Amino acid sequence: MKHDLMDMTFLIPVRTDSMYRLENLLLTVNFLSRNFKTNIKILEADRYCNNLIKELLPQVEYTFIEDRDLVFHRTKYQNLLVQNVTTPYIAIWEAEIIIPPSQVLDAISQLRNDSADVSFPYDGKALDTTFLLREYYAKTPSIDLLNRNKNKMTVLYDREDLVGGALFIKRDMYIQSGMDDERYYGWGNEDFERVLRWKILKYRIYRATGCLYHLSHSRGDNSRYISRYSKDKSLGMMCSLNFSSKQEIENSLLVSKKL
C-alpha cells in the first residue's frame, strides 16, 4: 500500500556525473514511488541533455538546464526547484538516499501536526552502503536488506550529527528563511549553514529515530571541496553566521528581498 504524501513535493537537483549517480537516482525515485503517492521534481543541470532521466523516470516532473560549468551549483538549482511548488511541504532530497518509510511518515506527521517547522526523517547518522551492498540492493530493492546489514556499512564522514541528504520543511518557511544560500558554490557546508540559520531564527526542528542509507557512488570534484579557497570561504561564512543574531538575519533577508 502506498502512503499518501500528496501534500509533499520531493525536490532532487542532480548532475549525473557517473553511471553510479544515475543508477542511484533511479533506485531512489523508484523507492519513493513504490512506497508513497507523492510529487517528485528532478532538475538536471549538465552540458547536454541525453533524455535518459526523462525516459527512465516518466512518473516525475523533469527539468533540464544546460550548464557547462564543471562545478555543480547545487544551492542555485535547489532554489530553482522550489519555484512553482504548490504543496505546503517540500522535501530536500539527494539522489542516493533511502530511508525506512516508517521514519518518513513519522517526520512528515510532525509538520502536519504543526509540532515542527523542519523535520529530519533520520537521527543524524548516515550509513554508506558500500558498493557491494549497493549492488545487492539494486537487484533486490528491499529496505529489509539494508536494515539487516547495517553492521557491514560505514558511518558517512565519521559523524552522527549530519543534516544533509533528506529533510522536510514547510514550503513557506523555507522561502521566508531565504532558501539555500547560493554563495555556497559546489560541495561544502550549505547543509549545516541552512540548519544553523533556522536554529537562530527559532525554527522548531524534529529528528526521527533511525538512520539514513546512502547508496555508494564514485566521488568526483562535485563530492569534495573544489579548492582550499572554497573550503576556507565556506567555513568562514559558517563562522560569521554563528555570531549573527535573529534580528541581523531577518534584516539581511529584508535587504535581499528588496534587491
Side-chain angles (χ1 to χ4, degrees), residues 7-24:
D7 54 357
M8 172 75 69
T9 301
F10 286 80
L11 308 176
I12 308 177
V14 67
R15 172 166 291 177
T16 51
D17 50 4
S18 69
M19 187 56 67
Y20 287 115
R21 187 85 70 179
L22 175 61
E23 291 175 352
N24 287 349

Side-chain angles (χ1 to χ4, degrees), residues 24 28 31 93-99 165-166 212-215:
N24 287 349
T28 295
F31 162 78
W93 207 269
E94 294 187 7
E96 49 276 323
I97 303 303
I98 306 293
I99 296 178
L212 165 158
Y213 296 114
H214 175 270
L215 299 172

Side-chain angles (χ1 to χ4, degrees), residues 109-132:
S109 71
Q110 304 301 315
L111 300 185
R112 288 171 170 169
N113 297 334
D114 197 29
S115 299
D117 304 309
V118 181
S119 191
F120 288 90
Y122 73 111
D123 56 15
K125 179 188 287 187
L127 295 179
D128 190 69
T129 59
T130 72
F131 285 98
L132 179 60

Side-chain angles (χ1 to χ4, degrees), residues 50-205:
N50 55 28
N51 286 314
L52 277 176
I53 295 175
K54 186 176 181 179
E55 293 294 326
L56 294 171
L57 296 173
Q59 71 271 41
V60 309
E61 181 181 332
Y62 171 76
T63 301
F64 177 83
I65 294 179
E66 182 179 346
D67 183 357
R68 295 185 178 276
D69 191 344
L70 295 178
V71 176
F72 181 51
H73 197 167
R74 174 179 294 277
T75 52
K76 179 177 75 172
Y77 294 123
Q78 185 69 58
N79 290 342
L80 283 175
L81 270 172
V82 176
Q83 297 178 11
N84 302 319
V85 170
T86 58
T87 56
Y89 313 116
I90 60 173
I92 296 176
W93 207 269
E94 294 187 7
E96 49 276 323
I97 303 303
I98 306 293
I99 296 178
S102 59
Q103 293 172 215
V104 172
L105 296 174
D106 176 30
I108 186 59
S109 71
Q110 304 301 315
L111 300 185
R112 288 171 170 169
N113 297 334
D114 197 29
S115 299
D117 304 309
V118 181
S119 191
F120 288 90
Y122 73 111
D123 56 15
K125 179 188 287 187
L127 295 179
D128 190 69
T129 59
T130 72
F131 285 98
L132 179 60
L133 283 172
R134 173 193 173 279
E135 291 304 312
Y136 276 115
Y137 179 81
K139 294 176 182 178
T140 308
S142 165
I143 196 72
D144 291 335
L145 172 70
L146 300 179
N147 289 336
R148 289 196 308 268
N149 290 281
K150 289 181 183 179
N151 62 334
K152 299 179 181 69
M153 302 180 192
T154 57
V155 178
L156 201 61
Y157 305 122
D158 291 322
R159 300 182 62 155
E160 298 188 11
D161 62 344
L162 295 180
V163 291
L167 68 87
F168 304 136
I169 184 171
K170 297 175 180 177
R171 175 188 174 275
D172 290 347
M173 296 194 75
Y174 175 73
I175 293 173
Q176 291 166 12
S177 71
M179 304 192 292
D180 273 21
D181 188 338
E182 294 184 20
R183 293 178 299 170
Y184 286 88
Y185 172 68
W187 193 88
N189 287 298
E190 69 274 10
D191 296 326
F192 289 104
E193 184 278 336
R194 184 197 297 137
V195 173
L196 176 58
R197 183 168 14 114
W198 290 337
K199 287 180 177 178
I200 297 172
L201 290 171
K202 306 299 182 185
Y203 279 22
R204 298 167 298 166
I205 300 176

Side-chain angles (χ1 to χ4, degrees), residues 3-45:
H3 302 282
D4 187 357
L5 292 187
M6 289 304 293
D7 54 357
M8 172 75 69
T9 301
F10 286 80
L11 308 176
I12 308 177
V14 67
R15 172 166 291 177
T16 51
D17 50 4
S18 69
M19 187 56 67
Y20 287 115
R21 187 85 70 179
L22 175 61
E23 291 175 352
N24 287 349
L25 175 65
L26 300 182
L27 290 170
T28 295
V29 171
N30 287 332
F31 162 78
L32 294 173
S33 300
R34 189 167 59 250
N35 287 281
F36 309 108
K37 184 180 179 182
T38 191
N39 312 282
I40 303 173
K41 295 180 67 173
I42 294 176
L43 186 155
E44 181 184 17

